[in-house]
Amino acid sequence: MAKLGAVLVALLGICQGGYAQDLPDLSSLAFLPRPLSSSPLPIVAGPPAKASEAASAIREAKAQRPPGEAGPAQLTAAIERRLAAVSKEEGENGERSPALIDRLTSLAAAYQEVGDYDSAIAALGDARNVVRVNSGLHSLDQASIVESLIANEEAKAEYGEVAKQRKYLRGLVLENPDDPRVVGVLTGLARSEMDSARRLLDVPAPPAYIVNTVPIGASDQPLPSAATPSLPPQKPALQALYAARSDYVVAIQAAAKMRTGNVPDLFALEDGLVETVYFEFAHSVLHGPHRLYAGTHVFSHRPQIPAGGAMPLGAVGAQILRSKVLDSINFGLEPTAVAKALIALGDWLLVYSQNGEALSQYQAAHDVLVEGKVPAETIDAMLSPELPPVVPVLPAAAAAGEQDQPYRGYIDASLELTRFGDAKHLDVLDTSPGVSRAIERRLRRYISSSRFRPRFVDGELARSDKFRARF
């Protein structure tokens, strides 16, 4: 397997206008540019369905089992058969028999199916003990059992136990650094942590603690008037996000070291790692009220690099995206894949005002496509689209929840951009009925705080650009 990029190895909307409906919540407006010729999307009556209501509908649909599927009676019978199989094996070959592992995990799956999570956890605990007796305390053979334990603890909402079992899995990875299976274990951990980050977005951080400066042995003295606050505690979602990022990094390093999987597998891991950065960018609420990492697509100011503390998001994202570019080249991916990686890096650098370097990445992407003899229409679609996109272009998984409002209106506008994607002028051409001046002002703030990807004209980056769009 070719050597990974050195940088990576070092790294451990819709306008909701009027139509005589309820007044929109201006704090949640999102604008999505579309071609001016596009037709307005249908108006959706009433507010959008809540996620909880959608989840409830899914559960109800699942509850209506089609004919032939196992019902409660069949599941109860299955549990009894599997209990009997466990008892029989224990009676014939003892409580340490390796054959008990499959029987106990099968029993746990049946318990999980009927929602008896405590019994499932007990069976899985017995199965893990059998593995440890037969294969060793730190054997990775128990990894799949621990993953099932995590799933059952999550179903019970026992998130402290979930964290405990994830820590245990990471300990197994450290004990088995040369086992190719660690890549799959770490990948599963990363995906699980990302699921937690999405679920915990609205959970606040724990209270901040105050660190006083009273000398040792002077506890009888009054506290100083200006106590020094500690660093603010991280929100649970941010902790999960950082854990996922770390797991992806270690998984990539392990895959490169042990040459496990194939190139698509490796880049699937890199895509997962990149998603952690985009997710953090899309959800500035992760960093609390100060919004140190705020994205230009939501707020009226450029993203700021915080002083001190952890490595800033802009630098982390650039490091990860550079590594993907290097690996795309080292692994000999097709020109369009290399160009996409270069464009994504250019977008990220542009958002963080690394303007010259961003343009260099776009030019490199153009050169790769031309030298690779990619068809002109493909090059135009990538570098000269009808509308320049707002950057960074977030994948759907990272931006989930940002653009789920129903379409209620539109604003047609003409824009002029600088060579670095800043909007110089915006003229409103037309609006749908009910679009207020307040919504127009929000659009202007959105445009002024956004960056658009510069387009190529006749094979060169345009020094200025004009276009019309429907927002």
Side-chain angles (χ1 to χ4, degrees):
M1 179 176 286
K3 183 180 179 182
L4 282 176
V7 178
L8 176 61
V9 176
L11 181 68
L12 239 203
I14 296 179
C15 184
Q16 202 172 346
Y19 284 105
Q21 301 184 31
D22 294 337
L23 290 176
D25 176 10
L26 296 186
S27 66
S28 64
L29 283 177
F31 300 94
L32 292 179
R34 300 177 183 276
L36 199 61
S37 59
S38 64
S39 300
L41 296 177
I43 301 171
V44 178
K50 294 181 180 178
S52 59
E53 295 172 356
S56 177
I58 292 173
R59 286 195 297 271
E60 290 177 5
K62 287 184 175 180
Q64 300 174 356
R65 295 178 180 271
E69 281 199 14
Q74 292 92 330
L75 290 172
T76 300
I79 290 173
E80 292 175 352
R81 288 195 301 271
R82 294 173 194 185
L83 277 170
V86 169
S87 298
K88 180 180 179 183
E89 181 61 28
E90 287 178 341
E92 293 178 354
N93 299 305
E95 295 181 350
R96 298 182 178 184
S97 168
L100 281 171
I101 299 169
D102 287 342
R103 288 167 173 73
L104 286 165
T105 53
S106 177
L107 174 62
Y111 279 131
Q112 185 176 359
E113 181 75 12
V114 298
D116 187 353
Y117 302 116
D118 289 330
S119 296
I121 290 168
L124 290 168
D126 291 341
R128 176 165 62 175
N129 290 337
V130 176
V131 172
R132 289 165 61 129
V133 167
N134 285 276
S135 302
L137 289 177
H138 305 296
S139 169
L140 212 58
D141 292 346
Q142 60 192 294
S144 61
I145 297 174
V146 180
E147 290 168 349
S148 296
L149 280 169
I150 291 172
N152 281 276
E153 296 289 4
E154 283 184 326
K156 291 177 59 183
E158 294 288 348
Y159 300 120
E161 283 298 316
V162 170
K164 178 180 175 181
Q165 296 299 339
R166 285 174 178 160
K167 182 178 180 180
Y168 182 83
L169 264 183
R170 293 187 180 101
L172 293 181
V173 168
L174 291 175
E175 293 289 342
N176 298 273
D178 298 321
D179 191 322
R181 292 176 293 175
V182 301
V183 176
V185 172
L186 288 164
T187 303
L189 278 169
R191 291 171 178 166
S192 177
E193 293 283 12
M194 282 301 298
D195 289 341
S196 294
R198 296 184 184 94
R199 173 175 50 80
L200 297 171
L201 266 177
D202 297 326
V203 177
Y209 294 95
I210 301 300
V211 179
N212 68 61
T213 55
V214 177
I216 296 175
S219 58
D220 56 338
Q221 297 181 8
L223 287 173
S225 57
T228 303
S230 67
L231 291 174
Q234 292 177 349
K235 297 188 66 173
L238 190 60
Q239 293 176 352
L241 177 69
Y242 287 166
R245 187 173 298 160
S246 177
D247 289 334
Y248 273 125
V249 169
V250 180
I252 292 169
Q253 292 173 341
K257 173 185 174 183
M258 291 179 281
R259 302 176 184 273
T260 60
N262 51 32
V263 172
D265 291 337
L266 178 63
F267 277 90
L269 290 174
E270 295 211 20
D271 289 341
L273 178 59
V274 170
E275 184 191 334
T276 68
V277 173
Y278 285 145
F279 185 87
E280 187 175 354
F281 181 91
H283 300 283
S284 58
V285 67
L286 287 165
H287 294 279
H290 301 294
R291 293 170 176 171
L292 293 176
Y293 299 84
T296 58
H297 66 304
V298 176
F299 303 102
S300 58
H301 56 272
R302 292 277 182 223
Q304 300 296 314
I305 297 179
M311 189 176 183
L313 178 61
V316 171
Q319 200 167 353
I320 290 172
L321 289 165
R322 283 185 204 281
S323 296
K324 188 173 180 182
V325 169
L326 290 174
D327 293 337
S328 298
I329 296 171
N330 289 339
F331 282 94
L333 298 192
E334 60 183 17
T336 53
V338 176
K340 286 178 181 177
L342 287 163
I343 291 169
L345 174 58
D347 290 348
W348 188 262
L349 294 171
L350 196 66
V351 168
Y352 285 91
S353 299
Q354 304 295 311
N355 298 335
E357 194 172 357
L359 297 191
S360 297
Q361 304 306 319
Y362 296 138
Q363 186 63 55
H366 176 270
D367 295 344
V368 165
L369 293 170
V370 172
E371 292 171 7
K373 302 186 186 309
V374 174
E377 56 269 21
T378 301
I379 297 177
D380 288 342
M382 294 179 68
L383 298 176
S384 306
E386 182 177 359
L387 292 180
V390 175
V391 297
V393 178
L394 301 176
E402 294 286 340
Q403 299 166 354
D404 56 359
Q405 299 293 322
Y407 190 91
R408 300 292 181 89
Y410 63 86
I411 299 176
D412 292 343
S414 65
L415 286 81
E416 182 178 355
L417 306 179
T418 69
R419 66 179 303 208
F420 298 126
D422 291 303
K424 287 172 57 177
H425 302 292
L426 182 149
D427 293 324
V428 174
L429 305 175
D430 190 19
T431 67
S432 59
V435 174
S436 65
R437 290 187 178 275
I439 293 177
E440 285 191 29
R441 288 194 295 270
R442 283 299 299 266
L443 174 62
R444 291 183 183 277
R445 287 201 296 271
Y446 163 75
I447 294 296
S448 67
S449 64
S450 297
R451 281 256 173 115
F452 293 81
R453 182 188 299 157
R455 295 188 292 184
F456 279 74
V457 177
D458 297 328
E460 296 183 357
L461 282 163
R463 299 192 64 83
S464 64
D465 196 0
K466 294 181 181 180
F467 68 96
R468 296 182 176 188
R470 170 162 287 166
F471 293 89

